[in-house]
DNA sequence: CGTGAATGCAAGTGTTCGCTTGCATTCACG
DNA sequence: CGTGAATGCAAGCGAACACTTGCATTCACG
């Protein structure tokens, strides 16, 4: 019964268990069970829990591709690309994102894992700066712009973990961008 | 040396340790040390860690008061009241909020504790609806409006846990409201 | 003072964690 | 069929956890 389970399947199990249980409760036993392999095999293949998490996050984030190589003349289109990406991320991995953000402050091992999503953010910064220079966006630290753009989306996604009854539908990226640019005044 | 420490002081220590360390790492030893009492005393007075957490969160949230009894003609002023409240909450208890959102999904205890913040949200809903009816705000589910308003603030506060180098300053509530109403177009 | 309740202190309980080890089984591949 | 590497399985290690216990000390209050 040595049916080999691919790394990808194991990584998927890691993220699923973390999303459901949190990092501390995502025990190696639970992960092994979810992946359908033996706990000892987990350590023989991935060395440690930290390394396993790092590889799982890396695999997930490289799987997500964000294409914003060539920012152009259309702010709305470029922001929509960014918002759509994060909308998908929070929809599929909201629990993981929430857990990692919470854990990052006191767990260096989690913080180091977040270096890769961070590098993605730097590319987002450049797109925002590009449009600021074009005079299409308010000039401010690009990270502030990013938080203002994506914050509503993130909060709505996180709120669904607490608030069962309201706002079950995910936000529409196009509407988010439009409101971001034009404001909420009627 | 049996100097008695009040419950309020212990609750403060609980929330401080949770905000700094996270729920799992907020060990009963760490809480006892932070409160300046013995670990055994903690259990003699509060029975269990879970019960201690429940009392601490309850005590903290009933302490926060938000005054928006009389929404008037000034959207900007009313939204500023709301944003200022949540800015203060995230600044002082951001770590706790993050932890509770994360924990809510698999801990009925935590979820039940969140009923009190929820009742506050219902009052916020009414203020938003009031200004929607006046024609001062885009008409949409009020919770969506709320997430769009406060999301940028929350995300910026949470991001500081991950992103050490950038945007250390807390957001200015007045600026948040202004951008929310008028948009980010330059 | 005197006394009872609350506390500090140190040691210990049982459980669970990340991680390891020894050995039998299985599979891919020549 | 033969062989070596990967796996399953069961047991266990040391550490950390929530929580307990016995006893000496302290304090509030009469």
């Amino acid at each position: 019964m040595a049916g080999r389970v691919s790394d990808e399947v194991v990584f998927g199990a890691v993220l699923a268990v973390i999303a459901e249980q949190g990092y501390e409760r995502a025990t190696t036993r639970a992960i092994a069970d979810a992946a359908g392999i033996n706990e000892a095999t987990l350590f023989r293949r991935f060395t440690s829990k930290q390394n396993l998490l790092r590889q799982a996050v890396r695999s997930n984030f490289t799987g997500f591709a964000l294409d914003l190589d060539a920012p152009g003349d259309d702010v709305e289109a470029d922001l929509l690309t960014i918002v759509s990406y994060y909308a998908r991320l929070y929809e599929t991995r909201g629990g993981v994102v929430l857990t990692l953000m919470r854990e990052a402050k006191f767990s260096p091992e989690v913080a180091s894992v977040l270096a890769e999503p961070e590098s993605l953010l730097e590319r987002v910064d450049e797109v925002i700066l590009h449009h600021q220079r074009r005079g299409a966006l308010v000039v401010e630290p690009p990270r502030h712009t990013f938080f203002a753009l994506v914050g509503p989306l993130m909060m709505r996604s996180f709120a669904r973990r607490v608030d069962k009854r309201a706002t079950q539908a995910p936000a529409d990226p196009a509407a988010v961008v439009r409101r971001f640019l034009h404001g909420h005044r009627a």
Side-chain angles (χ1 to χ4, degrees), chain A residues 1-14 31-39 41-42 45-46 52:
Chain A
M1 235 172 270
R4 186 175 187 122
V5 174
S6 76
D7 286 4
E8 294 306 316
V9 169
V10 176
F11 296 157
V14 170
I31 292 170
D33 288 350
I37 64 175
N38 193 269
E39 191 187 3
T41 301
L42 208 60
R45 276 171 65 179
F46 304 104
L52 174 60

Side-chain angles (χ1 to χ4, degrees), chain A residues 143-163:
Chain A
R143 220 39 87 82
H144 291 193
T145 307
F146 173 73
F147 294 151
L149 177 64
V150 173
L153 206 76
M154 187 187 80
M155 188 168 189
R156 193 155 148 190
S157 161
F158 288 177
R160 236 177 309 162
R161 304 177 65 84
V162 181
D163 187 4

Side-chain angles (χ1 to χ4, degrees), chain A residues 18-126:
Chain A
I18 285 182
E20 274 170 33
Q21 308 292 333
Y23 182 67
E24 306 278 342
R25 300 184 206 213
T27 68
T28 49
R29 283 172 180 83
I31 292 170
D33 288 350
I37 64 175
N38 193 269
E39 191 187 3
T41 301
L42 208 60
F43 283 96
R44 281 190 276 241
R45 276 171 65 179
F46 304 104
T47 313
S48 69
K49 186 185 178 184
Q50 173 184 6
N51 185 49
L52 174 60
L53 171 66
R54 165 176 287 111
Q55 291 191 47
V57 170
R58 174 169 308 162
S59 145
N60 182 71
F61 271 85
T62 59
F64 273 77
L66 174 51
D67 181 29
L68 31 78
D69 297 326
D73 290 345
D74 191 345
V75 214
E76 197 155 342
D78 286 343
L79 295 187
L80 184 56
T81 302
I82 294 171
V83 167
S84 298
Y85 170 83
Y86 282 96
R88 201 170 89 249
L89 175 65
Y90 294 140
E91 272 316 299
T92 61
R93 300 294 185 192
V96 176
V97 172
L98 187 53
T99 297
L100 296 185
M101 287 184 78
R102 186 179 80 88
E103 217 73 23
K105 188 154 188 184
F106 27 81
S107 166
E109 54 180 80
V110 170
S112 79
V113 158
L114 291 176
E116 318 205 8
E118 172 68 21
S119 78
L120 181 66
L121 269 182
E122 284 166 14
R123 289 200 286 146
V124 170
D125 284 345
E126 299 207 1

